[in-house]
Amino acid sequence: MNLERSTTMDNDIINAPDSAAADVPAAVDPAEFAVAEAEAKESTGTYTHTFSRPFMVDGTPVEELTFDWAGLTAEDSLAIENELQMMGKAVIALEFSGEYLLRMAMRACTTTVNGRRVGIDAFRRMPIADYNRIRGRARSFLLRLGL
């Protein structure tokens, strides 16, 4: 990755390039990145996902989940990264880490079931087509932040 280094009196500061596409990590398929970047241009801070058939969470059928991506904070991102590090999982590109995006979606989900937030286990059990759509929306939001 090409980074610029600037120096202040107290610290060296590394500045990332202006465009996220300038240096796509080698582990990311450039074609996949191009599609994700195009989708990011239409991303908004919220998303409501409607399941094709109700999804069961703690014995309760759920027809839709709402996500507030814009409500996430730096604290959320750092907590996700710390959790993944404790599990021994490295994150090279947040936008393409399924584990990061899964936890991001869980934290952004504002829907409650039986008075509780939808947990990571429920996200892991959802149908893959629904998970992939939600993951794609999380990825698009992250990429939009970098555009």
Side-chain angles (χ1 to χ4, degrees), residues 63-146:
E63 294 183 10
E64 65 182 29
L65 294 176
T66 300
F67 300 88
D68 179 11
W69 309 121
L72 294 172
T73 65
E75 185 175 344
D76 290 311
S77 184
L78 291 170
I80 294 167
E81 289 183 67
N82 287 337
E83 184 179 339
L84 292 174
Q85 285 176 347
M86 288 173 44
M87 295 169 56
K89 297 181 182 225
V91 177
I92 297 170
L94 301 179
E95 303 91 335
F96 292 93
S97 167
E99 291 286 350
Y100 184 91
L101 295 170
L102 176 73
R103 285 165 175 75
M104 180 182 157
M106 184 197 71
R107 286 175 176 267
C109 186
T110 60
T111 305
T112 58
V113 177
N114 302 325
R116 295 186 328 194
R117 295 185 65 165
V118 178
I120 196 86
D121 290 339
F123 278 91
R124 288 184 178 281
R125 288 190 311 269
M126 74 176 45
I128 193 167
D130 294 295
Y131 164 71
N132 280 334
R133 280 190 222 106
I134 293 167
R135 182 180 67 172
R137 291 298 183 117
R139 174 184 297 147
S140 293
F141 178 75
L142 286 177
L143 288 171
R144 182 174 178 121
L145 294 177

Side-chain angles (χ1 to χ4, degrees), residues 35-53:
V35 169
E37 198 170 40
E39 289 173 354
K41 291 178 183 174
E42 298 178 22
S43 176
T44 63
T46 60
Y47 169 62
T48 298
H49 178 79
T50 303
F51 291 90
S52 56
R53 61 178 192 259

Side-chain angles (χ1 to χ4, degrees), residues 1-3 16-26 33 93:
M1 182 181 267
N2 294 329
L3 299 175
D18 291 337
S19 170
D23 290 301
V24 178
F33 185 82

